[in-house]
Amino acid sequence: MGSRPYRRRLAWGAAALLAAGVAVPAAAAASDHGGPSDVGGHGPKKAKNVILLIGDGMGDSEITLARDYTVGAAGRLNLDKFPMTGTYTTYSVDKDGKPDYVTDSAASGTGWATGRKTVNGRISKTPGTDEPMTTILELAQKKGLATGSVTTAELTDATPAVLASHATDRSCAGPADMKACPKDTIAKGGPGSIAEQSVNHKVDVLLGGGKDRFDQKITEGPYRGLTVTQQAEKLGYQVVTDSKGLETARSGKPVLGLFAPGNVPVEWTGKAAAVGGTAAQRCVTSNPERKAGTPSLEEQTRRALSLLDTPKAKKNGFFLQVEGASIDKRDHAADPCGQIGETAALDRAVKVARDYAAKHPDTLVVTTADHGHTSQIVPLEATPPGLSSTLVTDEGRQLKVNYSTNTPGKAQEHTGTQVRIAAQGPGSQRVLGVTDQTELFTTLRTALSLR
């Protein structure tokens, strides 16, 4: 009886700390969370570097599925070990600024890249007037920071595109793809395709897929007659196409890594979900379509960090975005093994980022998703009307995953749910509670003191 008031005081004290944006001591254990944070007066108050890791389509269901399959229901992924965890809302808007409750990757990426919402399909341009909006990468470059973008998608896909390009429509990837963006063409005084803009921005490190886009010929402007890859070489880029080339690239010169004609093939394979379900299966942790010498997302992230270790970055810092893109793409295809493998690949990249931050405590690391997606873990006895698959996890247990956001035979859809955001390092307390996607822009800008 005598301990109850004391317990109430403890509970009230913890609640007050959380309300004030201060983590309870257990959440700040440096040994488990990659180094000290700025919370409670520990560590740097401002960030010199930012590493932003995006799981495309990586909602809570996708994280839980990967956790259950790979480390067990009671296990924890690297994604789970951040001291600061909150959620954010992801809706886009229509041309009049009214909510569109389910976003695509272009509008959602624009949200954190610029701090403003836009219409689905648009890349860092306003929803109504279709005017360019300044991005976090552009602000970082203006201040003299080194910059990088890593993805398992094409480098012209929506999430990497929002950082270093402005396009009326996300489909305007290469010079031959400009049909939906007439005012963005060089002939009309615009900046050109997403591929052209990305290299024109002279981002220090660009790593991903999409070689076919960069091999398109430029038909307008000063680089007319060259491919975008040749344009990049004219601008001083080292162009690499495999792990060996990536390892031998020199720091101090910009690097363009193009590791697949389109999206980088996924790491894991298995049977797609089917009407009525599948026989219980184990995922195959390989993919014959993935060529030897294709660097993993973990490799790309580690190498990007070493390539960004330049005199410029040592003086001014860096901004790096890393995307696990095909969590989303395999979710669309109702492919649980491909989806889990890509989530696990991003999780290994998260460890690389957190290990770097442990040695460089002036680094803010943030991990989040652009939107939720379709997969749901359901009881084994459930008979969902859509597509489902039964997996045998690493714990030797069966798990059923369901995909029912569209009719069988059609691509599965995004969902409008809020998604997780987690962080460590200077400014990480800003992700606590329920925020909006656009507030991530402010978190990054404030941490780096960008104007």
Side-chain angles (χ1 to χ4, degrees):
M1 292 289 292
S3 66
R4 285 180 183 172
Y6 175 67
R7 286 176 181 166
R8 281 199 294 271
R9 286 197 297 273
L10 278 178
W12 181 91
L17 284 170
L18 287 171
V22 178
V24 295
S31 61
D32 195 29
H33 297 297
S37 78
D38 63 323
V39 178
H42 302 293
K45 296 294 182 186
K46 294 290 182 183
K48 185 176 183 182
N49 314 307
V50 163
I51 307 171
L52 173 62
L53 299 112
I54 304 293
D56 198 317
M58 190 181 69
D60 281 345
S61 291
E62 286 70 31
I63 294 171
T64 307
L65 181 58
R67 183 194 302 121
D68 286 352
Y69 188 91
T70 61
V71 296
R76 292 295 178 262
L77 300 167
N78 295 297
L79 286 160
D80 298 323
K81 296 177 181 178
F82 286 88
M84 301 294 161
T85 302
T87 58
Y88 70 21
T89 51
T90 65
Y91 65 96
S92 55
V93 295
D94 66 14
K95 63 182 178 58
D96 299 315
K98 302 289 177 62
D100 187 342
Y101 298 111
V102 182
T103 189
D104 81 329
S105 296
S108 60
T110 295
W112 75 72
T114 70
R116 295 172 64 184
K117 292 186 179 291
T118 194
V119 297
N120 285 344
R122 193 155 292 174
I123 300 290
S124 296
K125 295 181 83 174
T126 54
T129 55
D130 192 30
E131 295 299 322
M133 298 187 288
T134 304
T135 74
I136 191 73
L137 182 139
E138 290 168 335
L139 290 176
Q141 288 184 319
K142 183 180 176 184
K143 194 184 173 186
L145 276 71
T147 56
S149 180
V150 174
T151 183
T152 54
E154 298 184 29
L155 274 165
T156 53
D157 205 11
T159 302
V162 297
L163 295 176
S165 65
H166 306 270
T168 302
D169 192 89
R170 60 184 290 177
S171 65
C172 302
D177 307 317
M178 296 298 288
K179 185 177 179 181
C181 303
K183 70 178 272 189
D184 296 332
T185 61
I186 293 171
K188 295 287 186 181
S193 68
I194 292 167
E196 292 166 271
Q197 291 184 62
S198 298
V199 296
N200 273 332
H201 260 83
K202 287 206 170 180
V203 181
D204 296 281
V205 178
L206 290 168
L207 305 178
K211 187 174 185 297
D212 284 353
R213 306 287 187 184
F214 287 81
D215 286 345
Q216 289 181 13
K217 276 216 170 147
I218 300 166
T219 57
E220 303 163 343
Y223 298 102
R224 181 178 177 177
L226 300 179
T227 65
V228 184
T229 304
Q230 290 168 331
Q231 173 193 355
E233 290 170 335
K234 288 272 188 186
L235 291 169
Y237 275 89
Q238 306 166 80
V239 178
V240 299
T241 57
D242 56 20
S243 292
K244 184 177 179 181
L246 183 58
E247 280 305 311
T248 56
R250 302 192 309 278
S251 182
K253 281 188 69 180
V255 178
L256 173 62
L258 298 169
F259 305 120
N263 299 315
V264 178
V266 298
E267 295 196 5
W268 290 17
T269 54
K271 294 175 184 173
V275 176
T278 64
Q281 64 171 321
R282 288 282 291 163
C283 296
V284 179
T285 56
S286 62
N287 181 0
E289 294 181 10
R290 191 179 173 94
K291 289 184 179 178
T294 302
S296 67
L297 189 59
E298 176 186 7
E299 273 182 83
Q300 289 186 61
T301 303
R302 184 176 289 109
R303 189 65 180 124
L305 288 169
S306 65
L307 288 168
L308 289 171
D309 187 21
T310 63
K312 178 168 71 170
K314 281 185 170 71
K315 180 182 177 184
N316 299 322
F318 66 79
F319 170 81
L320 173 65
Q321 179 175 288
V322 176
E323 182 199 20
S326 288
I327 303 167
D328 168 269
K329 297 180 192 309
R330 301 327 299 164
D331 230 329
H332 280 303
D335 171 13
C337 287
Q339 173 190 322
I340 293 168
E342 294 307 287
T343 309
L346 177 67
D347 195 58
R348 291 191 293 274
V350 167
K351 185 177 189 304
V352 171
R354 296 183 71 248
D355 287 349
Y356 181 90
K359 297 175 182 176
H360 303 84
D362 53 0
T363 301
L364 171 64
V365 182
V366 181
T367 183
T368 189
D370 49 357
H371 52 72
H373 222 304
T374 183
S375 63
Q376 290 287 326
I377 300 167
V378 298
L380 290 173
E381 64 270 19
T383 55
L387 307 168
S388 63
S389 178
T390 300
L391 305 175
V392 179
T393 71
D394 285 1
E395 295 179 295
R397 304 287 292 170
Q398 290 192 0
L399 178 156
K400 182 177 277 190
V401 56
N402 171 49
Y403 299 85
S404 292
T405 53
N406 213 337
T407 52
K410 294 184 178 180
Q412 298 300 302
E413 297 286 1
H414 300 171
T415 64
T417 185
Q418 62 190 30
V419 295
R420 180 195 295 192
I421 179 170
Q424 69 178 65
S428 57
Q429 76 281 358
R430 294 180 62 94
V431 308
L432 293 172
V434 180
T435 57
D436 182 72
Q437 201 155 53
T438 53
E439 294 175 66
L440 175 53
F441 170 82
T442 307
T443 295
L444 304 178
R445 188 188 65 186
T446 302
L448 293 170
S449 302
L450 303 178
R451 301 187 189 283

